[in-house]
Amino acid sequence: MDILKILEDSGNDLYPEDLDFFETELDVCEDFDPDYISKCKSIIYSLRRWMYGNEDVAQEETSANGSNRKKLDTGISVSISDLAPKEANPVLASLSSAEIIRMEIISLRELKSYKTEFKKYVGQKEEIDAQFVDAHYSMFRPWELNAIISLKQMPEEFLEKYFGALDHDKIARYQKFSEGFFMKHYSQMDPEVVLKHGKNEWRKKESMSKQLEVFLRLKGIRI
C-alpha cells in the first residue's frame, strides 16, 4: 500500500481514523525509509489541522463531529467499515480485509470497555479464525490472543505451535484437543480443569481410552 500516494491523491476524502491507521503503519512497518515517513507525516499533520480547524483542537471536542473517530465512552463498538463504507471511502476500498480488521482492533483498544467489546467483536467476526490469527499473529496483544482461544475453537496444530505463548488454563478450559495432547502437556496444564471443566468428550470415564486411564492412575488421579 502506497500511503504517500493515497495522502496526496485522496487526502481531502480521508477520515481521522484513516490518518491514525497510516501513522501506525508508518511507525511499525520497516519497509518505509525516513524521507518517505517524513513526507507522509507532514501531510497527515496538515490534514489534521484542516479537519479540526487547527492543531490545538482536542480530540474529545471533535468526537461529536460525524466525520471523526467514534469515541468509546458509549461502551458500544462500531465497525470502521460501518462508519465509512468502502464505496464511500477510497482508503477502505484499497485495504484488505486483514488491514480493516487491524484498524478496527486499534479503534477498540481505545474503548473504556475495550475487553468486553473486543470479545463481542471477535465473536461476531468469522474471519478471525486459526488461519487468520496464524497469518497475522503480531497483530494481536497477548490478552487478545487468550480472549480469542476462550471464544473460538482452534485446531490442535495451532495450540501446539503457540502453546508457549498462550494461557494454559484457557486452553485447558475452553479448547478441544486429543488425549495425546493432554498427556504431552500434562505438567503444564491443570488436570482438574481439563477433566472437570474442559470441553473434551474423553474426560468422561465412559469415553476415556484405557491408555489415558492408566496414565492418570499412575499420576495418582482417580476418575
Side-chain angles (χ1 to χ4, degrees):
M1 178 173 58
D2 190 339
I3 295 176
L4 182 59
K5 181 173 176 55
I6 294 173
L7 291 170
E8 291 175 337
D9 294 348
S10 307
N12 291 346
D13 298 321
L14 300 177
Y15 291 78
E17 59 265 20
D18 298 328
L19 302 184
D20 293 339
F21 173 70
F22 289 151
E23 278 193 319
T24 300
E25 286 294 298
L26 292 168
D27 289 338
V28 303
C29 184
E30 299 179 353
D31 295 336
F32 304 121
D33 61 60
D35 184 56
Y36 183 93
I37 293 173
S38 178
K39 288 179 181 178
C40 289
K41 289 198 172 184
S42 177
I43 296 175
I44 290 172
Y45 174 76
S46 298
L47 287 171
R48 277 213 174 92
R49 292 192 63 185
W50 171 71
M51 288 175 180
Y52 301 147
N54 63 71
E55 73 247 50
D56 299 321
V57 175
Q59 183 76 17
E60 55 268 24
E61 291 178 356
T62 62
S63 62
N65 186 318
S67 67
N68 94 318
R69 176 182 301 174
K70 295 289 183 181
K71 272 301 184 186
L72 315 155
D73 297 333
T74 61
I76 301 174
S77 63
V78 182
S79 168
I80 285 174
S81 54
D82 290 337
L83 292 176
K86 278 192 173 187
E87 59 271 17
N89 190 319
V91 174
L92 288 181
S94 69
L95 297 178
S96 67
S97 175
E99 288 171 322
I100 291 174
I101 288 173
R102 181 176 180 178
M103 289 177 68
E104 291 174 342
I105 289 175
I106 289 172
S107 180
L108 285 173
R109 287 170 182 162
E110 296 186 10
L111 286 167
K112 288 182 178 179
S113 55
Y114 149 60
K115 291 186 176 181
T116 299
E117 292 303 316
F118 180 84
K119 288 181 178 179
K120 289 181 183 177
Y121 176 79
V122 169
Q124 297 167 358
K125 207 74 174 177
E126 293 182 3
E127 297 98 314
I128 300 180
D129 57 12
Q131 185 177 0
F132 182 90
V133 176
D134 188 33
H136 306 284
Y137 182 80
S138 62
M139 180 187 298
F140 300 97
R141 294 175 176 176
W143 178 87
E144 293 168 351
L145 291 168
N146 288 314
I148 290 170
I149 66 168
S150 72
L151 294 167
K152 295 193 173 184
Q153 287 299 309
M154 299 294 181
E156 196 166 299
E157 294 79 6
F158 178 93
L159 299 177
E160 192 69 70
K161 181 176 181 178
Y162 296 107
F163 189 80
L166 297 173
D167 185 310
H168 299 161
D169 183 67
K170 283 188 169 52
I171 294 176
R173 189 178 298 271
Y174 298 111
Q175 291 293 310
K176 291 182 178 181
F177 43 82
S178 67
E179 292 180 340
F181 181 90
F182 172 49
M183 288 187 282
K184 177 179 179 180
H185 296 288
Y186 176 84
S187 63
Q188 298 160 293
M189 291 193 290
D190 186 336
E192 183 174 354
V193 173
V194 174
L195 297 171
K196 291 186 178 181
H197 307 289
K199 292 186 175 294
N200 300 292
E201 286 297 322
W202 49 256
R203 69 190 178 90
K204 301 173 184 177
K205 186 174 183 179
E206 61 271 20
S207 302
M208 188 177 294
S209 70
K210 195 67 178 178
Q211 181 183 11
L212 179 56
E213 191 175 342
V214 171
F215 176 86
L216 292 174
R217 191 181 306 122
L218 292 174
K219 294 293 184 180
I221 295 180
R222 290 186 176 185
I223 305 302

